[in-house]
Amino acid sequence: MNNLYDKYFNKPSIRDARKRRSTDTPRFSYQPQSHLGALGAGKTYLIQTYGCQGNEADTETMQGILHEMGFSPVHEPSKADLIVLNTCAIRANAENRVFGEIGRLKQFKRHNPDLLLAVAGCMPQEESVVEKLLKSYPYVDLIFGTHNIHKLPYYLESAILSKERVIEVFSEEGAIIENLPKARDHAYKAWVNIMYGCDEFCTYCIVPYTRGKERSRAPEDVLEEIRALASEGYREVTLLGQNVNAYGRDFNDRDYTFAHLLADLRDVPIDRVRFTTSHPKDLDEATILVLAQGGNLMPHIHLPVQSGSDAVLKKMNRHYTREVFLQCVDTIRTHIPDASLTTDLIVGFPTETDADFEATLDLVKTVGFEGAFTFIFSPRDGTPAAQYVDDVPAEVKKTRLQTLNQAINAGYLAGHKRFEGQTVKVLVDGQSKSDPTILAGYTPHNKLVNFSGLAELKGQIVDVKITEAKTWFLKGTVI
Ligand code: SAH
Ligand code: SF4
Ligand code: F3S
């Protein structure tokens, strides 16, 4: 639909975003728009990224496209000709932060009337957000979603050359686009999408609506990307998917699962392979057995449990019970005794009683998670849980979160303590911001280590003897 003012005008629909058909995923290869190559020459851009690693990976794609068009990066909004907010819709407070930022950025348009302001990512996939942007933030020039990043050159062409506002968001199941350019933020560690979207429909979660259906990249493409990264000097990759354990479930031409992918990756000359996120209902023994073979597969599993109460898990549509979760942890511990486990937890889900919360607390202590992201339930428009009666008082939610965080912090400390006196391999990220003589990096178990050392160790994997465990990091000395 076109209107008089806007070049592209296509708004999202949560109803359409829910649809899933059994048709094959369209797959195509990105074609650089060489005729648009000069459009960004002499122009600058700034991208602010919110949300998960999936969004960070998308930002790297946007950067790749912008560099192809001649744009160069800047760090201050006052110096930018284009500002993109790559947004997250997971909780209301994430969205409020973005709306606050859009308001703050308005001043820079007064100073630079040619400044283009774009809102991208998961928030524009929501009807209510686009309505609000159109009504209350008319100075936003460009709105696009998660399914059409590859069209960014065309949108910029419209916005720059014809000074037209561009609003284009597709509520579709989504395609797979290979060969997108990428300008990565890190020189040694890379995100690698192995799949997109999500078909789990946990009742609280907006992601299946903002990201489309679960669809897996071909293993050849994933392996080729990682081989190329290794030959460019990358030491670590993190495989990304909302439920990596569902990888390959959508292939109808072969039987190839996440376990197969991990097994194949053991033969790729990259030092470290991590992955996120695992789903307890799909993390199978075959995968755990491959992980147990070690090598470049890192012994850390992020396994979101969300709640320790069967009643709440059922209402969340998580498809496992506390018992099944504990069995899964048992299988991990049997085959990989020293694995580090971290999780995500939601408190204050509708109907959560004190007893349900106690069950969560008890589970956290039983499993001995060594870290967690903890959240208060946030109702999201269009999701089933937004219709549930939000019957837990705000004060109770806050208290539960604090109590839970205390238990989680004890887990962080215990997870660090077990490495005191040991020598661990640390991939050096770089210097600490506050003290350039201090280096920081991560161990195979994903523990942050601070130690004295010279900057040239950056990007190397060094042996560090752990001298002291703190709640948030380890201290050590290079040996
Ligand atoms: N696909 C991953 C991560 C999804 S988003 C997974 O399944 O684990 C990251 C975390 O945000 C979730 O694990 C959940 O704990 C939290 N989350 C998602 N929706 C939420 C909501 N509506 N309110 C509060 N927390 C939420
Ligand atoms: Fe959301 Fe559940 Fe999918 Fe994770 S698995 S992205 S929590 S719907
Ligand atoms: Fe947020 Fe979208 Fe990721 S909602 S958590 S940025 S998939």
Side-chain angles (χ1 to χ4, degrees), residues 239-396:
L239 314 177
L240 298 181
Q242 295 298 343
N243 172 6
V244 290
N245 308 106
Y247 178 77
R249 198 155 65 180
D250 54 322
F251 294 149
N252 44 26
D253 59 340
R254 58 181 122 191
D255 180 17
Y256 190 98
T257 64
F258 187 55
H260 293 118
L261 182 64
L262 289 179
D264 282 343
L265 279 167
R266 291 187 74 243
D267 299 329
V268 174
I270 188 106
D271 297 282
R272 293 179 164 193
V273 176
R274 302 185 185 281
F275 52 90
T276 196
T277 304
S278 296
H279 196 306
K281 84 176 162 64
D282 291 322
L283 174 56
D284 57 1
E285 193 164 15
T287 301
I288 296 167
L289 285 171
V290 179
L291 280 174
Q293 292 172 31
N296 58 1
L297 306 179
M298 294 295 105
H300 166 228
I301 304 178
H302 185 63
L303 194 61
V305 65
Q306 313 298 356
S307 168
S309 148
D310 284 346
V312 174
L313 286 170
K314 194 163 192 316
K315 273 205 135 55
M316 288 177 162
N317 194 33
R318 290 290 290 180
H319 294 285
Y320 54 85
T321 58
R322 176 190 177 92
E323 186 61 35
V324 166
F325 184 84
L326 287 171
Q327 273 163 14
C328 180
V329 170
D330 253 11
T331 313
I332 296 170
R333 293 263 152 85
T334 303
H335 299 298
I336 320 169
D338 78 331
S340 158
L341 295 181
T342 56
T343 198
D344 291 349
L345 293 150
I346 297 177
V347 298
F349 193 76
T351 75
E352 185 188 66
T353 61
D354 283 341
D356 290 325
F357 175 67
E358 288 302 323
T360 298
L361 211 50
D362 181 74
L363 182 89
V364 163
K365 289 173 186 164
T366 306
V367 174
F369 290 115
E370 296 185 347
F373 298 114
T374 56
F375 310 104
I376 289 179
F377 167 70
S378 172
R380 311 310 297 134
D381 252 5
T383 64
Q387 310 289 325
Y388 301 167
V389 179
D390 195 357
D391 55 354
V392 184
E395 273 314 305
V396 174

Side-chain angles (χ1 to χ4, degrees), residues 51-52 55 87-90 122 207 211 242:
C52 64
N55 253 16
T87 65
C88 171
I90 202 85
C122 283
V207 173
R211 292 276 169 176
Q242 295 298 343

Side-chain angles (χ1 to χ4, degrees), residues 170-189:
F170 299 121
S171 296
E172 58 181 29
E173 294 172 300
I176 290 186
I177 305 163
E178 291 296 344
N179 301 317
L180 282 159
K182 279 192 171 288
R184 299 185 193 261
D185 287 326
H186 204 288
Y188 317 108
K189 304 202 287 193

Side-chain angles (χ1 to χ4, degrees), residues 198-202 204-208 242-243 279 306 318:
C198 185
D199 281 351
E200 304 308 334
F201 290 96
C202 302
Y204 50 82
C205 186
I206 193 78
V207 173
Q242 295 298 343
N243 172 6
H279 196 306
Q306 313 298 356
R318 290 290 290 180

Side-chain angles (χ1 to χ4, degrees), residues 44-46 48 74-83 101 104-105 107-109 111-113 115:
T44 56
Y45 77 90
L46 169 70
Q48 290 177 204
V74 286
H75 297 291
E76 290 151 50
S78 59
K79 299 206 170 108
D81 299 308
L82 165 69
I83 299 177
E101 186 61 10
R104 188 183 78 88
L105 291 173
Q107 57 176 310
F108 297 103
K109 294 205 79 163
H111 299 143
N112 174 7
L115 168 64

Side-chain angles (χ1 to χ4, degrees), residues 20-218:
R20 296 290 187 269
R21 281 160 296 236
S22 54
T23 45
D24 278 349
T25 298
R27 289 166 195 265
F28 56 95
S29 182
Y30 176 78
Q31 303 299 329
Q33 304 306 314
S34 46
H35 70 291
L36 299 177
L39 206 64
K43 291 195 167 63
T44 56
Y45 77 90
L46 169 70
I47 305 183
Q48 290 177 204
T49 311
Y50 302 79
C52 64
Q53 295 96 332
N55 253 16
E56 288 181 30
D58 284 350
T59 289
E60 294 182 338
T61 301
M62 290 181 207
Q63 290 172 176
I65 293 175
L66 290 171
H67 292 185
E68 232 175 48
M69 296 179 72
F71 284 88
S72 46
V74 286
H75 297 291
E76 290 151 50
S78 59
K79 299 206 170 108
D81 299 308
L82 165 69
I83 299 177
V84 183
L85 303 185
N86 190 12
T87 65
C88 171
I90 202 85
R91 283 168 293 274
N93 57 9
E95 296 201 344
N96 293 338
R97 272 218 316 279
V98 169
F99 281 118
E101 186 61 10
I102 302 173
R104 188 183 78 88
L105 291 173
K106 188 177 181 183
Q107 57 176 310
F108 297 103
K109 294 205 79 163
R110 274 198 296 274
H111 299 143
N112 174 7
D114 288 333
L115 168 64
L116 289 177
L117 182 57
V119 178
C122 283
M123 279 172 65
Q125 297 293 143
E126 295 175 281
E127 287 170 32
S128 57
V129 166
V130 172
E131 300 291 333
K132 185 166 167 178
L133 287 173
L134 291 176
K135 189 161 160 257
S136 309
Y137 302 85
Y139 55 90
V140 172
D141 303 282
L142 230 148
I143 301 172
F144 61 99
T146 58
H147 292 299
N148 47 348
I149 294 171
H150 61 288
K151 292 181 75 179
L152 183 56
Y154 296 106
Y155 303 150
L156 289 171
E157 181 186 30
S158 285
I160 294 171
L161 298 182
S162 21
K163 306 255 183 241
E164 281 160 325
R165 189 170 58 170
V166 173
I167 298 127
E168 187 155 84
V169 182
F170 299 121
S171 296
E172 58 181 29
E173 294 172 300
I176 290 186
I177 305 163
E178 291 296 344
N179 301 317
L180 282 159
K182 279 192 171 288
R184 299 185 193 261
D185 287 326
H186 204 288
Y188 317 108
K189 304 202 287 193
W191 309 117
V192 175
N193 284 106
I194 60 167
M195 57 204 296
Y196 303 97
C198 185
D199 281 351
E200 304 308 334
F201 290 96
C202 302
T203 52
Y204 50 82
C205 186
I206 193 78
V207 173
Y209 309 86
T210 65
R211 292 276 169 176
K213 80 169 171 190
E214 210 163 75
R215 50 208 194 274
S216 308
R217 287 179 71 197

